Amino acid sequence: VQLVESGGGSVQPGESLRLSCTASGSYYDTNYMGWFRQVLGKEREGVAAIYKGAGNTEYAVSVKGRFTISSDYAENTVYLQMNSLKPEDTAMYYCAASSRVIGGTILEPTVYNYWGQGTQVTVS
């Protein structure tokens, strides 16, 4: 599975961005899609994820109510709509996919086995 992110950029606090992640390859073998972010020197953290089967979603507390994950499976694309952006949202954002069976939180990076290269989001 290959994942390519786009849509990152520099915005001011309060503004919005929409990230896109387009998948190719054995995409239909994956069960979950997620967005993660990482700041240099810190661990990668889960932001939002979706279970492709039932459409269940999970969000980090810090973004709940501001970010929305959605998918267009016909286009093999997952989106992350980010509203009311804050300076603390500044990070490299990564798209990920998992073909594994996940029993706990779907925001745990270690359960994902496919990763994109990332797209930078800067809020200042």
Side-chain angles (χ1 to χ4, degrees), residues 8-64:
S10 296
V11 297
Q12 295 184 345
E15 294 185 340
S16 300
L17 278 175
R18 188 176 80 155
L19 305 183
S20 300
C21 172
T22 301
S24 60
S26 302
Y27 173 71
Y28 295 102
D29 293 337
T30 60
N31 301 312
Y32 301 88
M33 299 290 294
W35 286 97
F36 297 80
R37 65 187 182 188
Q38 189 169 22
V39 176
L40 194 64
K42 295 188 177 181
E43 291 187 355
R44 191 168 295 187
E45 63 170 345
V47 174
I50 187 167
Y51 172 45
K52 292 169 61 180
N56 298 22
T57 58
E58 190 172 340
Y59 295 92
V61 172
S62 59
V63 306
K64 194 172 292 185

